[in-house]
């Protein structure tokens, strides 16, 4: 058994990946181009400004003014906040609460490792703000995934060495970050996309402790 589990937030605990997509799509449409659902895969786990760069590339738009870029990212975040402010605990993904409780009951520490600056807001919205031993969010790090910083910071705060931590991730960059942090990694989603993870699950429904045995 591992000693700690570190969960990505967006797309693992809650389905906010959809809201990120809708918010970026609104921005893209205003800029005069379309953002397809399949392009969303590229945005998962990537920091806000890095995601904006990807969006601008898709739309073939060149912007040199960093202030203007900040404004666009802020606008996207306003749209995103409109969606997440409506969230309730019903939006916690299936099986997640039960699985977290199982870990807690077996003295396995739990943490959030997300580059999102909206992490605290979302945890509060869905009633999970005091659930985790450690929360590492976008305010605590300077390098987005695939850099391992977010997970290494969580391991430090948890006081559990990387090789005894297991990361749960839905994004390719997140799996890369976990593996380069020297951690175990369970992918949540499509095994064809998350092929570098040690294991891949479709959802947390009916998952037992054997999932974190390596
Ligand atoms: C997560 C999401 C990304 C998002 C990033 C920054 O990693 O998967 O899609 O771009 O957080 O989120 P933020 O809420 O700070 O804009
Ligand atoms: Mg994610």
């Amino acid at each position: 058994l591992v000693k700690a589990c570190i969960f990505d937030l967006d797309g693992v605990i809650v389905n906010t990946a959809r809201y990120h997509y809708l918010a970026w799509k609104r921005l893209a449409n205003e800029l005069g181009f379309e953002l397809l659902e399949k392009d969303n895969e590229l945005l998962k786990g990537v920091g806000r400004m890095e995601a904006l760069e990807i969006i601008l590339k898709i739309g073939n738009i060149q912007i040199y003014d960093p202030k203007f870029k900040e404004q666009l990212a802020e606008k996207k975040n306003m749209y995103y906040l409109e969606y997440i402010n409506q969230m309730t605990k019903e939006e916690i993904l299936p099986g997640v609460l039960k699985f977290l409780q199982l870990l807690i009951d077996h003295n396995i520490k739990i943490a959030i490792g997300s580059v999102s600056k909206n992490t605290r807001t979302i945890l509060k919205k869905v009633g999970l703000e005091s659930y985790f031993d450690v929360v590492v969010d976008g305010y605590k790090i300077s390098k987005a995934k695939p850099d391992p910083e977010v997970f290494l910071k969580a391991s430090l705060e948890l006081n559990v060495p990387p090789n005894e931590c297991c990361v749960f991730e839905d994004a390719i960059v997140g799996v890369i970050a976990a593996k380069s942090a020297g951690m175990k990694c369970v992918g949540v989603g499509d095994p064809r996309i998350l092929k570098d993870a040690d294991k891949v699950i479709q959802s947390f429904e009916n998952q037992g402790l054997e999932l974190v045995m390596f």
Side-chain angles (χ1 to χ4, degrees):
L1 277 182
V2 292
K3 291 216 169 71
C5 289
I6 307 172
F7 295 84
D8 171 48
L9 178 68
D10 295 301
V12 171
I13 301 287
V14 283
N15 192 10
T16 41
R18 171 105 196 119
Y19 300 140
H20 276 295
Y21 167 67
L22 291 173
W24 283 124
K25 181 179 155 71
R26 257 166 91 176
L27 188 76
N29 291 165
E30 282 176 21
L31 292 170
F33 64 95
E34 197 47 77
L35 187 69
L36 303 175
E37 193 121 34
K38 71 166 172 54
D39 294 328
N40 196 35
E41 210 55 55
L42 303 170
L43 305 174
K44 286 184 183 171
V46 177
R48 194 181 301 172
M49 294 311 290
E50 291 88 345
L52 176 67
E53 294 296 340
I54 296 172
I55 297 287
L56 294 175
K57 214 175 213 166
I58 292 171
N60 221 341
I61 293 178
Q62 279 177 358
I63 294 172
Y64 299 104
D65 181 4
K67 276 219 188 83
F68 186 46
K69 282 187 188 172
E70 288 282 346
Q71 282 168 7
L72 290 177
E74 246 164 61
K75 199 166 191 190
K76 177 267 174 174
N77 197 53
M78 269 174 38
Y79 296 151
Y80 183 60
L81 283 170
E82 279 177 29
Y83 296 115
I84 60 177
N85 278 327
Q86 318 261 338
M87 286 181 83
T88 65
K89 60 176 182 307
E90 309 300 311
E91 286 178 70
I92 298 173
L93 286 165
V96 166
L97 281 181
K98 230 176 157 184
F99 187 70
L100 291 177
Q101 196 54 53
L102 184 71
L103 297 177
I104 293 169
D105 292 344
H106 289 81
N107 295 316
I108 297 174
K109 289 188 187 171
I110 55 174
I112 290 285
S114 168
V115 304
S116 170
K117 291 186 166 152
N118 294 300
T119 296
R120 294 273 175 191
T121 310
I122 295 168
L123 288 177
K124 206 168 182 176
K125 275 279 159 202
V126 301
L128 288 178
E129 75 228 279
S130 52
Y131 227 80
F132 294 90
D133 298 295
V134 161
V135 174
V136 178
D137 65 11
Y139 290 107
K140 288 192 182 172
I141 54 125
S142 57
K143 283 167 276 173
K145 299 166 189 175
D147 192 281
E149 183 183 12
V150 58
F151 296 136
L152 291 173
K153 185 101 214 277
S155 139
L156 263 179
E157 286 195 25
L158 286 163
N159 206 12
V160 176
N163 64 345
E164 296 192 276
C165 293
C166 176
V167 168
F168 289 83
E169 258 296 344
D170 71 316
I172 303 167
V173 287
V175 173
I176 297 170
K179 292 316 291 174
S180 57
M183 298 178 179
K184 308 282 184 268
C185 184
V186 176
V188 183
D190 187 338
R192 287 165 302 182
I193 294 174
L194 305 172
K195 42 186 177 309
D196 293 330
D198 299 296
K199 301 176 183 176
V200 179
I201 57 172
Q202 233 75 278
S203 94
F204 285 95
E205 271 179 309
N206 305 315
Q207 298 293 347
L209 272 187
E210 64 283 353
L211 187 59
V212 291
M213 280 175 196
F214 288 92

